[in-house]
Amino acid sequence: MRDAFVAAFSGSSWPLALLIYMLIGWAILRPSGSFWTRFCTVIGWPLEMVQRLAGATGLPYLFLLPNMVVFGLFTFAPLFINVGFSVTEGQSIQFEERTFAGTDNLSRLLSETQIDTGAENREDDKFKAAVYDTAIFVILQVPVMIVVALMTALALNREIIGRAFWRAVFFYPVMLSPVVVGFLWTLILKRQGALSQTLISWGWISEPIQWLTDPSWTMFWSVLVYTWAHLGFYMLILLAGLQAIPRDVYEAAEMDGTPAWRQLTRITIPLLAPTLLVVTVLSLIKAVQAFEELYAMNVRWISLVAYIFDTSGLRGQPTSHGLGIAAMASLLVAVVLICLSLLQVYLSSKANKP
C-alpha cells in the first residue's frame, strides 16, 4: 500500500502544493482547539476567510452565486437573445448579419396582408389556428387535470392498503421522459396499435382507427395522455395540502355527525383553496407550454410551442423571416404566462390576508 501510494505521487508536484496550501492556511488563520478542529480549519481556510470577510449574512449569497450564474446563462441570456431575434430579420443567428426590423415581425404574424409583398398573409391564419387549438386543449385539459388530481389525492390520503405503493405508481409517469411517454402511447393508439386491435377482437369496431389523427379523437387522446403523464406532480401538491389540514377539524365534524360529502365541501375544499389555486395556475402554464408528448405522438393539431418550433426552422427549411416570427410568437406566449404567474401571486396574497 505504501509503495503504491509513493509510486502514485512520485515526480508529482501535488504533495508540495498541498503542503504549501495548508501552511498558508495555518499562517493566516492560526487555528486553535483540538487536532481535528485545527486540521479541518486549515483544509477549508478559503471558506473561513470568505466567511470572515463577508460575515454570517453574506455567506449564503456566496453559495447562491453559482446557481444564479447558471440560471442567468440559461434563462435570462436566452430571453434577451430571443427579444433580439424578435426585432430583427434574416436567416442567420448572428446578430451582426441580421437587420433591424422593429415591429415588422409582429405585423408578419398578425396582419391580414404580407408587409413584404402586399399579398394575402397566411402566417396569421396558422398562428391563430395554433392559438385556437391550444386554447381548446387548455380549456379541456386543465379542469380534467384538477378534478382527477384532487380525486386521486383524496383517495391516497385515506388509510388504504399499500398507500405508499399506490402513491409511487401514480407519480411514476412524471419521472418518465416526455418523448418516452409519447412513443409509448403511440404504440397503443396508432392504426395497428394495441387499442384498435383489442377493440376489433372484442367486436366493438370493424376496422382500425388512427386515434391520433382522426379529428374526432385526437384532442380527446391528447388531453388523456397529457393528464396521465403529469397527474402525479399535481396530485403530490394536493396531497401535501390535504395533510396540512388539521385532523381535529374532521374529528369535530364527525362528532357533530357531519356527512362525508359535507366535510368535503365545507372543510376540505375551503381549506385546500390556496393549494388548488397554485395547482390551477401551474397546470394552466404547463398546458399552454404543451409540446413534447404531443410532438412525439404526432397529433393532428398544432400547439403554440409546436408552431414556434416549426416556424423557427428547427424542423424543415428555414425561411428569411421564420426565426424572427417565431421569436415574436414566443414573446406573446411569454406575456400570457407572465400574466398567469402574476395572477397567481395576486390571488395567493389576497387569499393569505386575514
Side-chain angles (χ1 to χ4, degrees), residues 37-76:
T37 301
R38 287 180 289 175
F39 178 76
C40 293
T41 303
V42 170
I43 289 295
W45 71 264
L47 289 178
E48 291 282 348
M49 286 297 300
V50 170
Q51 184 174 4
R52 292 184 182 184
L53 294 175
T57 58
L59 193 61
Y61 297 99
L62 179 66
F63 287 104
L64 289 174
L65 181 61
N67 183 56
M68 295 305 298
V69 170
V70 174
F71 187 77
L73 287 175
F74 292 98
T75 301
F76 290 112

Short mmCIF file of all heavy atoms in Angstrom, two decimals, residues 37-76:
data_model
loop_
_atom_site.label_atom_id
_atom_site.label_comp_id
_atom_site.label_asym_id
_atom_site.label_seq_id
_atom_site.Cartn_x
_atom_site.Cartn_y
_atom_site.Cartn_z
N THR A 37 -10.06 19.82 14.83
CA THR A 37 -10.63 21.14 14.60
C THR A 37 -9.65 22.01 13.81
O THR A 37 -10.01 22.67 12.83
CB THR A 37 -10.99 21.82 15.92
OG1 THR A 37 -11.93 21.02 16.62
CG2 THR A 37 -11.58 23.20 15.68
N ARG A 38 -8.38 21.98 14.25
CA ARG A 38 -7.37 22.77 13.55
C ARG A 38 -7.13 22.23 12.14
O ARG A 38 -6.93 23.00 11.19
CB ARG A 38 -6.07 22.76 14.36
CG ARG A 38 -6.14 23.63 15.61
CD ARG A 38 -4.84 23.61 16.38
NE ARG A 38 -4.64 22.29 17.03
CZ ARG A 38 -3.54 21.97 17.68
NH1 ARG A 38 -2.54 22.84 17.80
NH2 ARG A 38 -3.43 20.77 18.25
N PHE A 39 -7.15 20.90 11.99
CA PHE A 39 -6.92 20.30 10.67
C PHE A 39 -8.02 20.70 9.69
O PHE A 39 -7.76 21.09 8.55
CB PHE A 39 -6.85 18.77 10.81
CG PHE A 39 -6.67 18.05 9.51
CD1 PHE A 39 -5.43 18.02 8.89
CD2 PHE A 39 -7.75 17.41 8.91
CE1 PHE A 39 -5.26 17.36 7.67
CE2 PHE A 39 -7.59 16.75 7.71
CZ PHE A 39 -6.35 16.72 7.08
N CYS A 40 -9.27 20.60 10.14
CA CYS A 40 -10.41 20.97 9.27
C CYS A 40 -10.37 22.46 8.93
O CYS A 40 -10.71 22.87 7.80
CB CYS A 40 -11.74 20.61 9.94
SG CYS A 40 -12.01 18.83 10.12
N THR A 41 -9.97 23.29 9.89
CA THR A 41 -9.87 24.72 9.64
C THR A 41 -8.82 25.02 8.58
O THR A 41 -9.03 25.84 7.68
CB THR A 41 -9.54 25.48 10.94
OG1 THR A 41 -10.54 25.19 11.91
CG2 THR A 41 -9.47 26.97 10.69
N VAL A 42 -7.69 24.32 8.67
CA VAL A 42 -6.62 24.53 7.69
C VAL A 42 -7.04 24.04 6.31
O VAL A 42 -6.75 24.70 5.29
CB VAL A 42 -5.33 23.82 8.16
CG1 VAL A 42 -4.28 23.81 7.05
CG2 VAL A 42 -4.77 24.50 9.40
N ILE A 43 -7.72 22.91 6.24
CA ILE A 43 -8.17 22.38 4.95
C ILE A 43 -9.15 23.34 4.29
O ILE A 43 -9.09 23.59 3.08
CB ILE A 43 -8.81 20.99 5.14
CG1 ILE A 43 -7.73 19.96 5.49
CG2 ILE A 43 -9.55 20.56 3.87
CD1 ILE A 43 -6.72 19.71 4.38
N GLY A 44 -10.06 23.90 5.06
CA GLY A 44 -11.07 24.79 4.48
C GLY A 44 -10.81 26.25 4.72
O GLY A 44 -11.76 27.03 4.86
N TRP A 45 -9.53 26.64 4.76
CA TRP A 45 -9.22 28.03 5.10
C TRP A 45 -9.75 29.07 4.09
O TRP A 45 -10.08 30.20 4.51
CB TRP A 45 -7.70 28.20 5.31
CG TRP A 45 -6.84 28.12 4.07
CD1 TRP A 45 -6.19 27.02 3.63
CD2 TRP A 45 -6.52 29.17 3.18
NE1 TRP A 45 -5.48 27.29 2.49
CE2 TRP A 45 -5.66 28.63 2.18
CE3 TRP A 45 -6.86 30.51 3.08
CZ2 TRP A 45 -5.15 29.38 1.14
CZ3 TRP A 45 -6.36 31.27 2.04
CH2 TRP A 45 -5.51 30.71 1.07
N PRO A 46 -9.92 28.75 2.77
CA PRO A 46 -10.52 29.78 1.90
C PRO A 46 -11.95 30.14 2.30
O PRO A 46 -12.33 31.31 2.30
CB PRO A 46 -10.47 29.12 0.51
CG PRO A 46 -9.35 28.15 0.58
CD PRO A 46 -9.42 27.60 1.97
N LEU A 47 -12.73 29.11 2.68
CA LEU A 47 -14.10 29.39 3.11
C LEU A 47 -14.12 30.15 4.43
O LEU A 47 -14.97 31.03 4.66
CB LEU A 47 -14.88 28.08 3.25
CG LEU A 47 -15.24 27.37 1.94
CD1 LEU A 47 -15.97 26.06 2.22
CD2 LEU A 47 -16.08 28.26 1.06
N GLU A 48 -13.19 29.80 5.32
CA GLU A 48 -13.10 30.53 6.59
C GLU A 48 -12.79 32.00 6.34
O GLU A 48 -13.36 32.89 6.98
CB GLU A 48 -12.02 29.90 7.47
CG GLU A 48 -12.35 28.52 8.01
CD GLU A 48 -13.30 28.59 9.19
OE1 GLU A 48 -13.51 29.70 9.72
OE2 GLU A 48 -13.85 27.54 9.57
N MET A 49 -11.88 32.27 5.40
CA MET A 49 -11.54 33.64 5.09
C MET A 49 -12.72 34.39 4.47
O MET A 49 -12.99 35.54 4.83
CB MET A 49 -10.35 33.66 4.12
CG MET A 49 -9.02 33.31 4.76
SD MET A 49 -8.54 34.52 6.04
CE MET A 49 -8.47 36.01 5.06
N VAL A 50 -13.43 33.72 3.57
CA VAL A 50 -14.59 34.35 2.94
C VAL A 50 -15.66 34.65 3.97
O VAL A 50 -16.29 35.72 3.96
CB VAL A 50 -15.15 33.45 1.82
CG1 VAL A 50 -16.49 33.97 1.31
CG2 VAL A 50 -14.16 33.35 0.67
N GLN A 51 -15.88 33.72 4.91
CA GLN A 51 -16.88 33.94 5.95
C GLN A 51 -16.50 35.11 6.84
O GLN A 51 -17.35 35.91 7.23
CB GLN A 51 -17.07 32.68 6.78
CG GLN A 51 -18.17 32.80 7.83
CD GLN A 51 -18.44 31.50 8.54
OE1 GLN A 51 -17.75 30.52 8.32
NE2 GLN A 51 -19.44 31.49 9.41
N ARG A 52 -15.20 35.24 7.14
CA ARG A 52 -14.77 36.36 7.97
C ARG A 52 -14.93 37.68 7.24
O ARG A 52 -15.28 38.70 7.86
CB ARG A 52 -13.32 36.16 8.39
CG ARG A 52 -13.11 34.99 9.35
CD ARG A 52 -11.67 34.91 9.82
NE ARG A 52 -11.45 33.76 10.70
CZ ARG A 52 -10.30 33.50 11.30
NH1 ARG A 52 -9.24 34.31 11.11
NH2 ARG A 52 -10.17 32.44 12.08
N LEU A 53 -14.67 37.67 5.93
CA LEU A 53 -14.78 38.90 5.16
C LEU A 53 -16.23 39.27 4.85
O LEU A 53 -16.61 40.44 4.92
CB LEU A 53 -14.00 38.77 3.84
CG LEU A 53 -12.47 38.63 3.97
CD1 LEU A 53 -11.85 38.37 2.61
CD2 LEU A 53 -11.88 39.87 4.61
N ALA A 54 -17.04 38.24 4.49
CA ALA A 54 -18.43 38.51 4.12
C ALA A 54 -19.36 38.57 5.31
O ALA A 54 -20.43 39.17 5.23
CB ALA A 54 -18.92 37.44 3.13
N GLY A 55 -18.97 37.94 6.40
CA GLY A 55 -19.85 37.90 7.56
C GLY A 55 -20.86 36.79 7.45
O GLY A 55 -21.03 36.15 6.40
N ALA A 56 -21.58 36.58 8.52
CA ALA A 56 -22.57 35.49 8.55
C ALA A 56 -23.72 35.75 7.59
O ALA A 56 -24.32 34.82 7.06
CB ALA A 56 -23.10 35.31 9.97
N THR A 57 -24.05 37.02 7.36
CA THR A 57 -25.18 37.33 6.47
C THR A 57 -24.80 37.26 4.99
O THR A 57 -25.64 37.03 4.14
CB THR A 57 -25.72 38.74 6.78
OG1 THR A 57 -24.65 39.70 6.62
CG2 THR A 57 -26.27 38.81 8.19
N GLY A 58 -23.53 37.44 4.67
CA GLY A 58 -23.13 37.43 3.27
C GLY A 58 -22.77 36.08 2.73
O GLY A 58 -22.79 35.86 1.50
N LEU A 59 -22.47 35.12 3.61
CA LEU A 59 -22.05 33.80 3.16
C LEU A 59 -23.13 33.06 2.37
O LEU A 59 -22.81 32.41 1.37
CB LEU A 59 -21.59 32.97 4.36
CG LEU A 59 -20.83 31.67 4.02
CD1 LEU A 59 -19.57 31.98 3.24
CD2 LEU A 59 -20.50 30.89 5.28
N PRO A 60 -24.40 33.10 2.77
CA PRO A 60 -25.42 32.40 1.97
C PRO A 60 -25.47 32.87 0.51
O PRO A 60 -25.69 32.07 -0.40
CB PRO A 60 -26.73 32.71 2.70
CG PRO A 60 -26.32 32.98 4.11
CD PRO A 60 -24.98 33.64 4.01
N TYR A 61 -25.26 34.17 0.30
CA TYR A 61 -25.29 34.68 -1.07
C TYR A 61 -24.12 34.15 -1.88
O TYR A 61 -24.22 33.99 -3.10
CB TYR A 61 -25.28 36.21 -1.06
CG TYR A 61 -26.49 36.80 -0.39
CD1 TYR A 61 -26.44 37.24 0.92
CD2 TYR A 61 -27.70 36.88 -1.07
CE1 TYR A 61 -27.55 37.77 1.55
CE2 TYR A 61 -28.83 37.42 -0.47
CZ TYR A 61 -28.75 37.86 0.85
OH TYR A 61 -29.86 38.38 1.46
N LEU A 62 -23.01 33.87 -1.21
CA LEU A 62 -21.87 33.30 -1.90
C LEU A 62 -22.20 31.90 -2.43
O LEU A 62 -21.83 31.54 -3.55
CB LEU A 62 -20.66 33.24 -0.95
CG LEU A 62 -19.38 32.63 -1.54
CD1 LEU A 62 -18.83 33.52 -2.64
CD2 LEU A 62 -18.34 32.44 -0.44
N PHE A 63 -22.90 31.11 -1.63
CA PHE A 63 -23.28 29.77 -2.07
C PHE A 63 -24.38 29.82 -3.14
O PHE A 63 -24.51 28.91 -3.95
CB PHE A 63 -23.76 28.94 -0.88
CG PHE A 63 -22.64 28.51 0.03
CD1 PHE A 63 -22.44 29.13 1.25
CD2 PHE A 63 -21.78 27.49 -0.34
CE1 PHE A 63 -21.40 28.74 2.09
CE2 PHE A 63 -20.74 27.10 0.49
CZ PHE A 63 -20.55 27.73 1.71
N LEU A 64 -25.18 30.89 -3.13
CA LEU A 64 -26.22 31.03 -4.15
C LEU A 64 -25.66 31.54 -5.47
O LEU A 64 -26.32 31.41 -6.51
CB LEU A 64 -27.30 32.00 -3.66
CG LEU A 64 -28.22 31.51 -2.55
CD1 LEU A 64 -29.13 32.64 -2.09
CD2 LEU A 64 -29.05 30.33 -3.01
N LEU A 65 -24.46 32.12 -5.43
CA LEU A 65 -23.90 32.73 -6.63
C LEU A 65 -23.74 31.76 -7.80
O LEU A 65 -24.13 32.09 -8.93
CB LEU A 65 -22.56 33.39 -6.29
CG LEU A 65 -21.86 34.12 -7.44
CD1 LEU A 65 -22.74 35.26 -7.95
CD2 LEU A 65 -20.50 34.65 -7.00
N PRO A 66 -23.18 30.55 -7.62
CA PRO A 66 -23.07 29.63 -8.78
C PRO A 66 -24.41 29.30 -9.41
O PRO A 66 -24.53 29.26 -10.64
CB PRO A 66 -22.41 28.38 -8.18
CG PRO A 66 -21.70 28.87 -6.96
CD PRO A 66 -22.55 29.98 -6.41
N ASN A 67 -25.42 29.09 -8.58
CA ASN A 67 -26.75 28.78 -9.10
C ASN A 67 -27.31 29.97 -9.88
O ASN A 67 -27.93 29.80 -10.94
CB ASN A 67 -27.69 28.40 -7.96
CG ASN A 67 -29.05 28.00 -8.47
OD1 ASN A 67 -29.18 27.10 -9.28
ND2 ASN A 67 -30.09 28.68 -8.00
N MET A 68 -27.10 31.17 -9.37
CA MET A 68 -27.60 32.36 -10.06
C MET A 68 -26.87 32.58 -11.38
O MET A 68 -27.47 33.05 -12.35
CB MET A 68 -27.46 33.58 -9.15
CG MET A 68 -28.30 33.53 -7.89
SD MET A 68 -30.06 33.28 -8.25
CE MET A 68 -30.43 34.75 -9.19
N VAL A 69 -25.58 32.25 -11.41
CA VAL A 69 -24.82 32.39 -12.66
C VAL A 69 -25.38 31.43 -13.72
O VAL A 69 -25.62 31.81 -14.87
CB VAL A 69 -23.32 32.13 -12.42
CG1 VAL A 69 -22.57 32.03 -13.74
CG2 VAL A 69 -22.72 33.23 -11.56
N VAL A 70 -25.59 30.17 -13.33
CA VAL A 70 -26.14 29.19 -14.27
C VAL A 70 -27.55 29.60 -14.68
O VAL A 70 -27.92 29.52 -15.87
CB VAL A 70 -26.15 27.79 -13.63
CG1 VAL A 70 -26.85 26.79 -14.53
CG2 VAL A 70 -24.71 27.34 -13.35
N PHE A 71 -28.35 30.04 -13.73
CA PHE A 71 -29.72 30.48 -14.02
C PHE A 71 -29.72 31.64 -15.00
O PHE A 71 -30.54 31.70 -15.92
CB PHE A 71 -30.41 30.87 -12.71
CG PHE A 71 -31.88 31.17 -12.87
CD1 PHE A 71 -32.80 30.14 -12.99
CD2 PHE A 71 -32.34 32.47 -12.89
CE1 PHE A 71 -34.15 30.41 -13.14
CE2 PHE A 71 -33.68 32.75 -13.04
CZ PHE A 71 -34.59 31.71 -13.16
N GLY A 72 -28.80 32.58 -14.79
CA GLY A 72 -28.71 33.72 -15.69
C GLY A 72 -28.29 33.32 -17.09
O GLY A 72 -28.84 33.81 -18.09
N LEU A 73 -27.32 32.40 -17.20
CA LEU A 73 -26.82 31.99 -18.51
C LEU A 73 -27.87 31.23 -19.31
O LEU A 73 -27.96 31.39 -20.53
CB LEU A 73 -25.57 31.12 -18.34
CG LEU A 73 -24.29 31.84 -17.91
CD1 LEU A 73 -23.18 30.83 -17.68
CD2 LEU A 73 -23.87 32.86 -18.96
N PHE A 74 -28.66 30.40 -18.63
CA PHE A 74 -29.58 29.53 -19.35
C PHE A 74 -31.03 30.01 -19.30
O PHE A 74 -31.91 29.36 -19.88
CB PHE A 74 -29.50 28.11 -18.79
CG PHE A 74 -28.19 27.44 -19.09
CD1 PHE A 74 -27.18 27.41 -18.15
CD2 PHE A 74 -27.96 26.86 -20.32
CE1 PHE A 74 -25.97 26.80 -18.41
CE2 PHE A 74 -26.75 26.25 -20.60
CZ PHE A 74 -25.75 26.22 -19.65
N THR A 75 -31.32 31.11 -18.60
CA THR A 75 -32.68 31.64 -18.55
C THR A 75 -32.74 33.09 -19.04
O THR A 75 -33.42 33.40 -20.02
CB THR A 75 -33.25 31.56 -17.12
OG1 THR A 75 -33.25 30.20 -16.70
CG2 THR A 75 -34.68 32.08 -17.09
N PHE A 76 -32.03 33.97 -18.38
CA PHE A 76 -32.10 35.38 -18.75
C PHE A 76 -31.38 35.67 -20.07
O PHE A 76 -31.88 36.45 -20.89
CB PHE A 76 -31.52 36.25 -17.63
CG PHE A 76 -32.38 36.28 -16.40
CD1 PHE A 76 -31.95 35.70 -15.23
CD2 PHE A 76 -33.62 36.87 -16.42
CE1 PHE A 76 -32.73 35.72 -14.08
CE2 PHE A 76 -34.43 36.90 -15.30
CZ PHE A 76 -33.98 36.33 -14.13
#
